[in-house]
Amino acid sequence: MAGREKRRRVAALDGEERRRRQEEAATLLHRIRGLVRWVVAEVAAGRSPTVALHRYQNYCSSASAAAASPCYDVPVGTDVLSLLHRGSHASRLNVLLRVLLVVQQLLQQNKHCSKRDIYYMYPSIFQEQAVVDRAINDICVLFKCSRHNLNVVPVAKGLVMGWIRFLEGEKEVYCITNVNAAFSIPVSIEAIKDVVSVADYILIVEKETVFQRLANDKFCERNRCIVITGRGYPDIPTRRFLRYLVEQLHLPVYCLVDADPYGFDILATYKFGSLQLAYDANFLRVPDIRWLGVFTSDFEDYRLPDCCLLHLSSEDRRKAEGILSRCYLHREAPQWRLELEAMLQKGVKFEIEALSACSISFLSEEYIPKKIKQGRHI
């Protein structure tokens, strides 16, 4: 009886969630139709419609901003798009309206498509994929919604393995039956339900090569955890999936990246969000993420050979200096800032794989387990 009652409660919650999503889609569709009708009426009356778009940022570089309120959800300027203007702004409004008509059709028919699908509907007008990407971001800002609300789905590139199982629509994703096997991260978290996990923590690794190293070493078999990689800079499905797991499972999250400015930037993307999607940062970021390594100081602590150490290039230095000026490092992660400053001061970098110089399985058998057990993270 208890099991049957639990299934009824889960089914009721799933039904309530579906109704909520349908209501959100109906509201968004109503607003889109209203805007399209208004544009048509303005053009028919011989007037040129204008659309105001806020600009957002997820950080600023002002020294006085260190003690200010967070940058999230705070507009930092406005772009006014009008058909009266010649050049890029008129073109941008034209593209926005064309993409908006596609989105309206998707919502009406309850269908989904990719950004690439939209590009190929008007390739001579869009000219490049980036134009469509920007229009989708503009629509999200205009209607204060997330990209998944538009039924425009990306191609997920992230991978997951470990002690977790869930349903993705009608498909069963049972990582838990083979904890060292890689599964693709779902494109849409709206399709996920019945998440079950016995993991103690979530580990994010920057690169697929490190993910495969852990899989080969049967890391998840020896450690009750979930391992995720975005295979470099994480895409939206990876970040949404991670955020969803944190909210559902309430597990600590550790992140392992290269000891270089680009690894640090990937780490910051998980914790603080990206500038490109600053308007949506609060729904994609994982504020409590813990930086497990690798640190510049690890090179000496683990006595790695000099051949593993590389000098920062001029581009690396510019990248690091730009990151150091971000307000959130002063306000929310001062210890992270000190570590990045140390990297810049020493002028060196190295990759996670350099730890294999100790032994091929040093990363999985020594470095990660001991660091987590001893609390050696920031």
Side-chain angles (χ1 to χ4, degrees):
M1 289 293 292
R4 190 178 304 133
E5 178 62 27
K6 182 178 180 181
R7 285 193 295 273
R8 277 201 293 265
R9 287 199 302 269
V10 170
L13 289 172
D14 287 343
E16 184 179 336
E17 180 65 16
R18 280 194 297 272
R19 285 191 295 273
R20 183 185 65 80
R21 291 170 187 164
Q22 289 170 353
E23 289 172 1
E24 288 179 351
T27 301
L28 179 58
L29 182 57
H30 177 74
R31 294 176 63 199
I32 290 173
R33 285 171 174 165
L35 178 65
V36 172
R37 283 196 295 266
W38 171 77
V39 169
V40 171
E42 289 290 289
V43 172
R47 295 186 293 267
S48 178
T50 59
V51 175
L53 289 173
H54 289 311
R55 292 194 304 271
Y56 290 84
Q57 61 187 21
N58 70 325
Y59 63 83
C60 56
S61 299
S62 171
S64 61
S69 59
C71 298
Y72 310 112
D73 295 333
V74 180
V76 295
T78 303
D79 290 339
V80 178
L81 312 188
S82 172
L83 293 180
L84 282 175
H85 297 156
R86 293 183 178 180
S88 62
H89 278 265
S91 174
R92 185 173 166 190
L93 181 54
N94 179 25
V95 170
L96 185 148
L97 291 171
R98 286 181 181 272
V99 174
L100 200 56
L101 288 172
V102 175
V103 169
Q104 178 177 310
Q105 187 177 10
L106 292 174
L107 293 174
Q108 287 171 338
Q109 300 177 3
N110 192 26
K111 293 183 178 180
H112 296 74
C113 76
S114 69
K115 295 184 296 180
R116 199 63 177 165
D117 291 329
I118 295 176
Y119 166 76
Y120 278 113
M121 292 178 186
Y122 306 102
S124 60
I125 294 173
F126 296 147
Q127 296 185 348
E128 59 180 356
Q129 183 66 54
V131 172
V132 176
D133 297 350
R134 183 174 188 178
I136 291 170
N137 286 346
D138 286 346
I139 292 169
C140 290
V141 171
L142 185 62
F143 291 99
K144 294 182 172 59
C145 65
S146 296
R147 189 179 297 179
H148 65 273
N149 298 127
L150 308 180
N151 284 8
V152 179
V153 295
V155 178
K157 65 173 185 175
L159 300 173
V160 60
M161 66 179 174
W163 295 84
I164 184 172
R165 68 171 174 84
F166 55 88
L167 294 179
E168 182 187 356
E170 300 303 318
K171 182 178 73 173
E172 297 178 340
V173 183
Y174 277 26
C175 305
I176 206 165
T177 59
N178 186 358
V179 294
N180 300 301
F183 291 79
S184 296
I185 282 176
V187 169
S188 172
I189 64 168
E190 285 73 28
I192 301 175
K193 58 185 178 181
D194 296 344
V195 179
V196 175
S197 176
V198 292
D200 296 324
Y201 61 87
I202 299 171
L203 174 66
I204 306 165
V205 296
E206 175 185 344
K207 297 181 289 191
E208 186 177 3
T209 53
V210 176
F211 184 91
Q212 294 299 338
R213 174 76 269 147
L214 297 181
N216 291 339
D217 290 345
K218 303 187 184 305
F219 180 80
C220 290
E221 194 172 302
R222 299 186 178 96
N223 302 272
R224 284 190 175 269
C225 65
I226 300 166
V227 181
I228 291 172
T229 180
R231 298 203 275 188
Y233 280 92
D235 58 6
I236 293 174
T238 301
R239 291 163 60 190
R240 289 191 74 213
F241 182 66
L242 174 63
R243 172 72 178 247
Y244 177 80
L245 291 187
V246 171
E247 290 175 343
Q248 293 293 314
L249 303 177
H250 307 289
L251 296 175
V253 183
Y254 304 96
C255 190
L256 185 68
V257 296
D258 287 338
D260 65 24
Y262 290 90
F264 188 94
D265 199 26
I266 289 169
L267 171 74
T269 298
Y270 281 110
K271 183 176 177 70
F272 301 107
S274 65
L275 186 58
Q276 183 184 12
L277 299 174
Y279 63 85
D280 219 10
N282 265 333
F283 301 100
L284 294 173
R285 64 193 295 249
V286 181
D288 296 327
I289 200 167
R290 306 169 189 187
W291 185 11
L292 191 65
V294 290
F295 304 130
T296 304
S297 56
D298 286 339
F299 185 83
E300 295 178 356
D301 291 346
Y302 293 99
R303 299 177 182 178
L304 299 179
D306 291 341
C307 62
C308 296
L309 203 60
L310 302 171
H311 292 288
L312 293 178
S313 66
S314 56
E315 185 178 342
D316 289 331
R317 287 187 172 277
R318 283 193 297 271
K319 181 77 172 177
E321 289 165 357
I323 296 173
L324 281 171
S325 68
R326 298 176 187 176
C327 60
Y328 54 58
L329 287 187
H330 296 266
R331 183 175 56 240
E332 299 180 51
Q335 286 184 291
W336 288 20
R337 177 174 54 84
L338 292 174
E339 188 64 31
L340 186 57
E341 285 176 345
M343 180 194 303
L344 195 56
Q345 183 179 8
K346 292 181 180 180
V348 293
K349 62 182 180 179
F350 69 97
E351 298 183 346
I352 300 168
E353 291 90 337
L355 294 167
S356 297
C358 299
S359 72
I360 191 65
S361 298
F362 179 78
L363 180 69
S364 61
E365 295 177 358
E366 298 286 336
Y367 185 88
I368 295 173
K370 286 187 176 179
K371 275 210 161 190
I372 291 176
K373 184 177 181 180
Q374 296 169 3
R376 294 170 57 198
H377 48 74
I378 57 178

